[in-house]
């Protein structure tokens, strides 16, 4: 349906050795568009994570962006727990 919210899945989390960019998250929109986002350690708020999207990629809908970032953080936490 036009205007329907895309289905978002996190296809994979790859942990990195960097202290700042701690993982890459393969995020899939509608099963077609794959975007690799960075899971970042916050320098301003220790213990907090934030998501870095590629410079050319924008999610204009704030609620959709928050949903995608929440899914990425949950997938990252699950991966860490299972390591």
């Amino acid at each position: 349906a036009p205007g329907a919210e895309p289905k978002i899945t996190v296809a994979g989390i790859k942990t990195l050795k960097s202290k700042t960019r701690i993982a890459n998250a393969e995020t899939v929109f509608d099963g077609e568009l794959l975007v690799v986002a960075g899971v970042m350690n916050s320098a301003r708020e220790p213990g907090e994570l934030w998501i870095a999207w590629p410079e050319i990629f924008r999610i204009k809908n704030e609620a959709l962006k928050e949903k995608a970032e929440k899914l990425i953080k949950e997938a990252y936490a699950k991966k860490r727990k299972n390591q």
Side-chain angles (χ1 to χ4, degrees):
E5 192 173 281
K7 182 179 188 293
I8 304 167
T9 53
V10 179
I13 297 282
K14 181 179 180 215
T15 53
L16 305 172
K17 295 192 183 339
S18 168
K19 286 180 174 21
T20 307
R21 187 177 183 126
I22 53 177
N24 282 335
E26 295 179 348
T27 312
V28 181
F29 294 82
D30 276 346
E32 294 180 19
L33 174 67
L34 178 114
V35 179
V36 178
V39 180
M40 312 292 287
N41 256 329
S42 174
R44 281 184 236 130
E45 299 173 50
E48 287 296 310
L49 300 177
W50 63 278
I51 306 304
W53 297 99
E55 208 173 294
I56 60 166
F57 182 75
R58 295 275 184 270
I59 302 175
K60 291 181 180 175
N61 179 320
E62 198 58 40
L64 186 64
K65 183 178 177 189
E66 286 175 15
K67 179 181 176 184
E69 293 181 355
K70 182 174 184 263
L71 288 171
I72 292 169
K73 289 176 185 178
E74 288 169 354
Y76 174 74
K78 187 176 175 184
K79 172 142 182 127
R80 273 200 45 197
K81 202 170 91 174
N82 293 333
Q83 280 186 332

